[in-house]
Amino acid sequence: MTLHSNNSSRMEMMHFTKDNGSEASTRAAEEVGCGQPQLTKPNGKPVANHCSIVMGGINNNPSLTFNDGVRSIDYVLVWESGRNDATTPEAYEQRRIFEQNLEHDGLQLEREEPEGLYGLNFVKIHVPVDVLRDYSEILKLRMPMKDGSQLRKSGRTNAILNAALYISKFSAVKTSNFIDRVEATWDKFISKIRVDPELFPERRHRLTAIYSKDKEYLFDTTSECFWTPSIRSRIVQFILDRKKFSKPGDDFAFGINRLISNCTYSAAYPLHDGDLKTPGSMRYLLYTEWAAVSKCLKYQPLDYVKDYFGVKIGLYFAWLGFYTHMLIPASLVGLICFIYSAATVYSNKPSEDICNYNSTIKMCPQCDYFCEFWDLKATCLQSRITYLFDNSTTVFFAIFMSFWAACFLELWKRYSAEMTHRWDLTGFDVYEEHPRPQYLARLAHVKRRQLNVVTGENEPMVPFWRMRLPATLMSFSVVALLVLLALATVLGVVLYRMSLLGAAVLRHNDNVLITYSPIMFTTATAACINLCFIFLFNYIYQYLAEWLTEKELLRTQTEFDDSLTLKIYLLQFVNYYASIFYIAFFKGKIIGRPGEYIRFFGHRQEECAPGGCLLELSIQLAIIMVGKQFINTIVEMMMPYLLSWWNIIRTIGRKRQLKSPLQWVKDFKLVDFPNMGLFPEYLEMILQYGFVTIFVAAFPLAPLFALINNVLEMRLDARKFLTCFRRPVPQRVTDIGVWYRILDSIGKLSVITNGFIIAFTSEFIPRLVYAFTHGSLEQYVNNTLADFNITVLEHPPLNSTYGGTMCSFPGYWDYKNGKDYAHSTWYWHIIGARLAFVVVFENVVALGTIIVKWAIPDMSGELRDRIRREAYVINSYILEETRARSQAGRDSQGDTTEPNWNHIASLSGSDFDLAAHGDQEDLAELRERAAAARPPPDPAGPPVDPAGPPPAPV
């Protein structure tokens, strides 16, 4: 039976996966796949296709191969003969044993010490095909099946495809000329920002299956890009992480990371596929067409990013691009709200009343001894600025952003499902991931084993009382201590603000803004000090979090990364947001009144300005959010260059230069991809997401600043990965991991915080209640002030020139008798209205988000049907190929017995897969099981079709 179909079947396969309109799929699929003859342009030049671009670097760069010019360099190890730690007898012995073990495992090594490189020794590693086959099966890699043999002209397979093609024709219904013109105009606009199909040809979707050596005839192993450089480097890394470098006895004497930390080797890395200045490599193509800031408005070539860096980094850029696109409507709405506020600022009655305030009664002093009675009119500018962030649009924007957050998460799940399917990750189980070598080494002496129900292997079981519980308690205790340390820092900043308000230096300053607005001055300076502490503690938190996570004995790298992420994010959450929560919910809420101030360490607590603390909250948000983004961008771009410069100086000295045209020498000068991987990138964006959602009611311009930052951040990150870091080893993931749960938690928290900010921090509710009661905001400012006799002041200002007997204080107070004051009835009305608003706001928004989540399914119906169709096609094809090869084998042996394949077709999904892949049992046993399980036909019923039922889709 032939394994190839005609061209029509091949064209059917091209249309099998419909363009989903995402950044990864925006063009028509290329017609030339891997392993097929390459087409040529009219001028004779070959037409670029996905495979030729992926493998272009190896074909065009001789330094990416061994000296024979045939075998590719899949990995490089480097050690320095001029370094004392690397030239000890123990280091030589460790390298000898380690490299010998690599060769015993099938890897091919080529050692070289080029002249003029100051003692640098390079060990080049090549993975032969036999090793690729073995480890592709061990790692359960999904590999592309043969292109021509997937779709045969057999009834069932083509019936499904023909049905799919027939349904797709309904999308081409005739429309009006006007709609056609609108669509043409829109397509013309979109083509300007889409990826150039000439530079990045669309990767035609190939059906894939988990690789099996026994069923290699199903896979297109002869294709040039069947085992891509990313797959090769991943297999080498898997081997390097697990090979021992000493004689038996030391359970931890394994892995390339341990050798690098001991200075036995200096570096280990896969190679970039070319230079940044020389065309012909994917690195150059990505650098010029993706990482360039001038391309910041174009879509990202995500398929090529995934092929070059791996799924994990590709998924990060897919998420970052999706998040940035979702910020566009939020930025527009926030900007419109801000413009409306700016246009109506002079028509705001309360702020105009403050600016025109002519009362003879001055405001009570804001601190003891040194603060003078002051005029409310002095806060005119402050009240107008406050109105920009505290008006009726604040409530609308807070509700909008709550729905936006829900839509963002639901749409991301939908988009992520598309990318997961597109990148052949559907069905990937994290429990199939191999244990971390550090985990196995620490459990080497544990005798108790347990069966992994997914892999079927016996693995060591972590003793709960002796190892798991102590590590968990220690981790929890240290994290709690660090959280308290962050809170203590916030407390220190609060004390700084309190003490600065009473400082005499502010009262003798010639600057009017400082003298009459000490609260604004202290807020700005305290925010800057807090920002410095934030960056200082970041490094301490990161080091301790890594150490604690290593002690927790987590089995896989995914579990390790998730635990580390939760720890650091919790610490960073407190570090970044504690001061903001203090201003939003605690500052000025329990300060007391003149004559009975509630003191903290002998100091009066900070008071809010007459218009509330919302302006101070906005200042704190702006300084920390914008300052964090600015500093992080500078650090992220400068630090790799500084590390690279220091690495070269440490290796060869300050006055020497390391020059060579060889790619493996150029990559040595780059910085190793950090152990934390993408964690700093995700953390920066998730913290930004918190600013955009949790406190958006106080700062409606936050989405706009985030959008501007992310448009540049996306390209700067791409540039950093391509120019500053060595090529990372690809990792396989199915989603963004624990970050999604963090985003979901932030979205739920944002509903609560925004409700309380509007109710208790802003003046929206008092204004609303007053307007509802009086019909307008006339005399609203006077209603918010209470007059106190200056004789009740505990520490009146020294040398005061104020001759009045009364002073005004923000709040709702009534005079009782003597020095006794109490909250007025109006105060309790306001408190009741605020609590009622919180309840209504929370429930309305919560109900809306539930409706949004219900209305947007996690996976589109089209994608679900596509996955089912592909599973059916793959299983049908595997069954037919297995039957054809079995029949051919029997014909060659003279056996003419026809097997009952109808029984195989009636097997369950798991048994069908076992039969198709030949695992555990042979086909004869499965046929006997199926025949025994199949009920006998009813004699009175309809006749049974001798051909049997068609195979059931899996």
Side-chain angles (χ1 to χ4, degrees):
M1 184 178 292
T2 179
L3 297 181
H4 295 277
S5 63
N6 57 16
N7 290 334
S8 63
S9 297
R10 200 169 293 155
M11 291 301 296
E12 288 175 357
M13 187 58 204
M14 279 172 41
H15 293 86
F16 192 85
T17 299
K18 190 178 178 182
D19 183 2
N20 58 19
S22 67
E23 295 184 32
S25 177
T26 56
R27 303 167 302 276
E30 61 180 5
E31 297 187 12
V32 179
C34 298
Q36 299 179 11
Q38 193 170 27
L39 301 177
T40 58
K41 297 180 181 179
N43 57 10
K45 294 183 178 180
V47 176
N49 58 63
H50 180 267
C51 184
S52 65
I53 294 176
V54 170
M55 305 301 296
I58 296 178
N59 297 332
N60 299 326
N61 193 340
S63 64
L64 296 177
T65 60
F66 277 16
N67 292 332
D68 58 14
V70 177
R71 293 173 293 173
S72 62
I73 301 176
D74 302 317
Y75 223 91
V76 173
L77 307 179
V78 185
W79 62 278
E80 306 171 35
S81 60
R83 192 169 184 172
N84 294 332
D85 295 337
T87 53
T88 61
E90 181 183 5
Y92 277 112
E93 180 65 12
Q94 290 177 349
R95 278 195 298 272
R96 185 189 66 80
I97 296 175
F98 186 71
E99 293 174 11
Q100 188 178 54
N101 288 335
L102 295 180
E103 291 178 324
H104 285 167
D105 211 39
L107 299 181
Q108 298 176 3
L109 308 183
E110 184 176 78
R111 300 166 180 85
E112 193 161 344
E113 183 179 5
E115 296 182 359
L117 295 185
Y118 311 103
L120 290 178
N121 290 262
F122 295 85
V123 181
K124 296 175 282 187
I125 301 177
H126 172 73
V127 192
V129 175
D130 291 340
V131 178
L132 290 173
R133 290 194 180 102
D134 293 337
Y135 280 92
S136 295
E137 189 170 38
I138 291 173
L139 295 176
K140 295 181 172 58
L141 300 181
R142 295 190 68 90
M143 306 299 287
M145 303 173 70
K146 286 184 177 178
D147 187 41
S149 57
Q150 302 165 345
L151 307 173
R152 315 153 67 88
K153 278 196 137 182
S154 59
R156 302 299 303 179
T157 303
N158 274 343
I160 291 291
L161 288 175
N162 291 335
L165 292 174
Y166 177 75
I167 293 174
S168 67
K169 293 178 181 179
F170 288 104
S171 62
V173 179
K174 294 282 186 180
T175 57
S176 66
N177 292 334
F178 174 75
I179 296 179
D180 290 340
R181 288 196 297 270
V182 171
E183 290 180 351
T185 304
W186 174 253
D187 291 340
K188 184 177 180 181
F189 169 75
I190 290 296
S191 64
K192 301 294 183 182
I193 61 176
R194 282 182 170 173
V195 178
D196 188 351
E198 294 290 333
L199 298 173
F200 295 99
E202 173 71 3
R203 178 178 66 92
R204 182 155 55 90
H205 188 73
R206 302 281 297 276
L207 294 182
T208 61
I210 296 177
Y211 180 81
S212 171
K213 291 193 297 182
D214 295 335
K215 302 296 180 183
E216 191 170 278
Y217 56 84
L218 301 173
F219 300 94
D220 192 10
T221 56
T222 59
S223 170
E224 182 184 15
C225 57
F226 184 75
W227 282 296
T228 63
S230 296
I231 294 177
R232 290 173 171 271
S233 62
R234 183 180 172 203
I235 289 175
V236 177
Q237 180 71 45
F238 185 83
I239 298 173
L240 293 178
D241 285 340
R242 288 159 173 78
K243 287 304 170 186
K244 286 187 169 291
F245 54 79
S246 68
K247 298 179 180 179
D250 185 359
D251 295 327
F252 290 90
F254 68 89
I256 187 63
N257 292 331
R258 180 80 179 273
L259 290 172
I260 293 177
S261 64
N262 294 340
C263 299
T264 304
Y265 288 101
S266 298
Y269 50 90
L271 296 180
H272 284 292
D273 70 342
D275 191 80
L276 294 173
K277 299 180 180 179
T278 306
S281 66
M282 194 191 300
R283 186 189 185 194
Y284 172 83
L285 183 62
L286 291 174
Y287 178 73
T288 56
E289 298 297 330
W290 173 53
V293 178
S294 60
K295 308 289 184 179
C296 63
L297 299 181
K298 278 184 170 291
Y299 282 176
Q300 301 180 91
L302 292 178
D303 283 339
Y304 290 82
V305 175
K306 187 270 295 185
D307 288 328
Y308 194 79
F309 289 112
V311 172
K312 190 171 186 178
I313 294 180
L315 202 58
Y316 162 72
F317 281 103
W319 177 83
L320 181 56
F322 183 82
Y323 170 48
T324 303
H325 278 78
M326 287 293 292
L327 281 174
I328 295 176
S331 302
L332 291 176
V333 175
L335 184 60
I336 291 172
C337 292
F338 185 79
I339 293 174
Y340 170 81
S341 303
T344 58
V345 66
Y346 289 102
S347 62
N348 179 44
K349 183 62 177 175
S351 62
E352 291 304 306
D353 288 347
I354 292 176
C355 293
N356 300 320
Y357 194 74
N358 292 318
S359 176
T360 58
I361 301 177
K362 291 193 175 183
M363 302 295 294
C364 296
Q366 293 179 330
C367 64
D368 297 333
Y369 299 116
F370 302 106
C371 293
E372 180 61 86
F373 296 95
W374 55 284
D375 194 349
L376 183 61
K377 188 186 296 186
T379 61
C380 173
L381 177 62
Q382 178 183 335
S383 66
R384 285 175 173 168
I385 297 176
T386 301
Y387 173 76
L388 296 177
F389 306 102
D390 186 5
N391 54 72
S392 57
T393 62
T394 303
V395 180
F396 164 75
F397 191 58
I399 297 175
F400 171 82
M401 288 303 297
S402 299
F403 291 144
W404 176 89
C407 290
F408 167 69
L409 292 177
E410 294 305 310
L411 291 175
W412 163 250
K413 283 196 294 187
R414 190 181 179 97
Y415 181 70
S416 178
E418 293 277 352
M419 301 306 298
T420 299
H421 169 257
R422 184 176 183 82
W423 291 346
D424 301 320
L425 299 170
T426 303
F428 173 67
D429 191 344
V430 68
Y431 291 102
E432 295 178 2
E433 190 175 349
H434 288 265
R436 299 170 60 242
Q438 297 86 345
Y439 167 85
L440 295 177
R442 294 191 63 190
L443 299 178
H445 299 292
V446 176
K447 296 181 180 179
R448 189 175 180 182
R449 303 271 166 167
Q450 64 181 356
L451 180 67
N452 186 320
V453 297
V454 176
T455 63
E457 298 178 359
N458 282 319
E459 297 179 358
M461 182 177 180
V462 181
F464 179 79
W465 295 105
R466 184 164 57 89
M467 300 182 73
R468 177 78 75 188
L469 182 62
T472 303
L473 291 177
M474 181 181 65
S475 178
F476 176 81
S477 302
V478 175
V479 170
L481 179 62
L482 293 175
V483 169
L484 292 177
L485 179 62
L487 295 176
T489 303
V490 175
L491 179 60
V493 174
V494 171
L495 290 175
Y496 159 80
R497 296 160 64 112
M498 293 179 181
S499 60
L500 192 61
L501 279 175
V505 65
L506 295 182
R507 308 303 150 187
H508 299 88
N509 198 295
D510 295 334
N511 192 317
V512 177
L513 181 62
I514 295 178
T515 304
Y516 288 97
S517 301
I519 293 179
M520 293 300 99
F521 178 77
T522 55
T523 298
T525 55
C528 294
I529 294 173
N530 190 39
L531 183 63
C532 295
F533 275 110
I534 286 173
F535 281 98
L536 174 64
F537 284 129
N538 280 351
Y539 297 100
I540 301 175
Y541 293 161
Q542 182 171 323
Y543 173 78
L544 290 177
E546 289 186 46
W547 181 77
L548 290 171
T549 309
E550 193 63 57
K551 297 294 183 182
E552 291 180 1
L553 295 172
L554 298 171
R555 176 182 173 272
T556 65
Q557 189 64 40
T558 300
E559 295 171 343
F560 181 90
D561 293 342
D562 288 350
S563 178
L564 179 63
T565 297
L566 285 175
K567 288 186 186 65
I568 296 186
Y569 181 76
L570 175 62
L571 298 172
Q572 298 285 27
F573 183 91
V574 177
N575 198 19
Y576 277 98
Y577 299 143
S579 62
I580 301 175
F581 270 97
Y582 163 73
I583 295 176
F585 304 117
F586 298 101
K587 182 181 178 182
K589 301 300 186 292
I590 49 175
I591 61 175
R593 62 171 179 83
E596 288 187 3
Y597 287 116
I598 300 174
R599 299 182 180 273
F600 191 70
F601 290 108
H603 293 280
R604 278 177 55 180
Q605 294 188 56
E606 296 179 279
E607 300 175 12
C608 292
C613 285
L614 195 66
L615 178 58
E616 298 172 53
L617 179 60
S618 302
I619 293 174
Q620 186 84 359
L621 280 168
I623 290 178
I624 292 182
M625 178 182 176
V626 178
K628 178 188 75 70
Q629 292 178 347
F630 178 74
I631 294 176
N632 277 350
T633 300
I634 294 178
V635 171
E636 286 182 3
M637 295 310 300
M638 295 301 298
M639 189 60 68
Y641 289 104
L642 293 176
L643 291 176
S644 178
W645 172 76
W646 171 250
N647 182 44
I648 295 175
I649 289 180
R650 182 193 56 79
T651 304
I652 63 175
R654 181 178 300 178
K655 298 183 179 180
R656 296 176 176 177
Q657 291 184 347
L658 197 64
K659 291 185 178 182
S660 174
L662 301 173
Q663 190 64 44
W664 28 278
V665 178
K666 293 179 181 179
D667 286 2
F668 175 75
K669 296 189 292 183
L670 302 178
V671 180
D672 195 22
F673 198 75
N675 294 329
M676 296 289 290
L678 292 170
F679 178 82
E681 316 300 333
Y682 271 117
L683 179 63
E684 180 183 358
M685 291 297 105
I686 300 301
L687 289 173
Q688 179 200 91
Y689 182 80
F691 287 115
V692 169
T693 55
I694 297 178
F695 306 104
V696 74
F699 193 44
L701 293 180
L704 179 61
F705 284 112
L707 175 63
I708 296 172
N709 174 81
N710 290 3
V711 169
L712 298 177
E713 177 80 15
M714 200 184 311
R715 307 303 167 166
L716 293 178
D717 282 348
R719 187 182 186 89
K720 178 176 62 177
F721 288 165
L722 288 169
T723 61
C724 302
F725 290 121
R726 295 166 184 157
R727 189 172 183 176
V729 177
Q731 297 183 39
R732 182 170 53 170
V733 295
T734 57
D735 50 35
I736 60 176
V738 72
W739 292 115
Y740 179 84
R741 299 202 298 272
I742 292 176
L743 288 169
D744 187 44
S745 301
I746 291 175
K748 295 174 181 176
L749 178 63
S750 68
V751 177
I752 300 173
T753 55
N754 284 313
F756 276 92
I757 287 175
I758 295 172
F760 289 93
T761 306
S762 75
E763 289 294 302
F764 174 77
I765 297 300
R767 288 197 303 265
L768 185 65
V769 173
Y770 186 88
F772 179 78
T773 305
H774 296 83
S776 68
L777 293 177
E778 290 290 339
Q779 301 300 316
Y780 169 76
V781 174
N782 289 331
N783 185 67
T784 62
L785 300 176
D787 292 337
F788 287 81
N789 196 307
I790 62 174
T791 58
V792 303
L793 298 178
E794 299 168 318
H795 305 290
L798 302 176
N799 303 321
S800 175
T801 60
Y802 178 56
T805 60
M806 304 292 289
C807 67
S808 298
F809 184 77
Y812 303 97
W813 298 89
D814 283 340
Y815 173 74
K816 295 297 183 181
N817 52 33
K819 294 185 178 182
D820 188 18
Y821 289 79
H823 284 297
S824 64
T825 306
W826 192 258
Y827 170 82
W828 299 110
H829 290 169
I830 297 297
I831 290 296
R834 283 173 165 168
L835 293 176
F837 174 82
V838 169
V839 173
V840 173
F841 180 87
E842 307 289 343
N843 284 277
V844 168
V845 174
L847 178 62
T849 54
I850 291 174
I851 294 175
V852 168
K853 292 181 179 181
W854 171 81
I856 304 176
D858 295 348
M859 182 185 296
S860 65
E862 180 187 359
L863 178 60
R864 186 177 291 107
D865 293 340
R866 193 188 312 161
I867 293 174
R868 291 172 178 172
R869 289 197 299 269
E870 290 182 5
Y872 180 87
V873 170
I874 291 173
N875 289 332
S876 299
Y877 167 64
I878 292 175
L879 179 61
E880 291 177 9
E881 287 298 321
T882 305
R883 176 167 56 182
R885 294 180 68 87
S886 178
Q887 180 65 42
R890 282 190 297 273
D891 291 344
S892 62
Q893 298 174 5
D895 185 6
T896 59
T897 304
E898 177 67 22
N900 192 353
W901 285 96
N902 301 319
H903 294 161
I904 299 296
S906 66
L907 292 175
S908 64
S910 58
D911 288 342
F912 184 94
D913 289 337
L914 291 174
H917 289 279
D919 294 339
Q920 309 299 330
E921 303 176 79
D922 60 21
L923 300 180
E925 294 176 355
L926 288 173
R927 287 198 300 270
E928 293 174 2
R929 184 198 302 178
R934 190 173 184 179
D938 187 1
V944 179
D945 184 1
V954 179

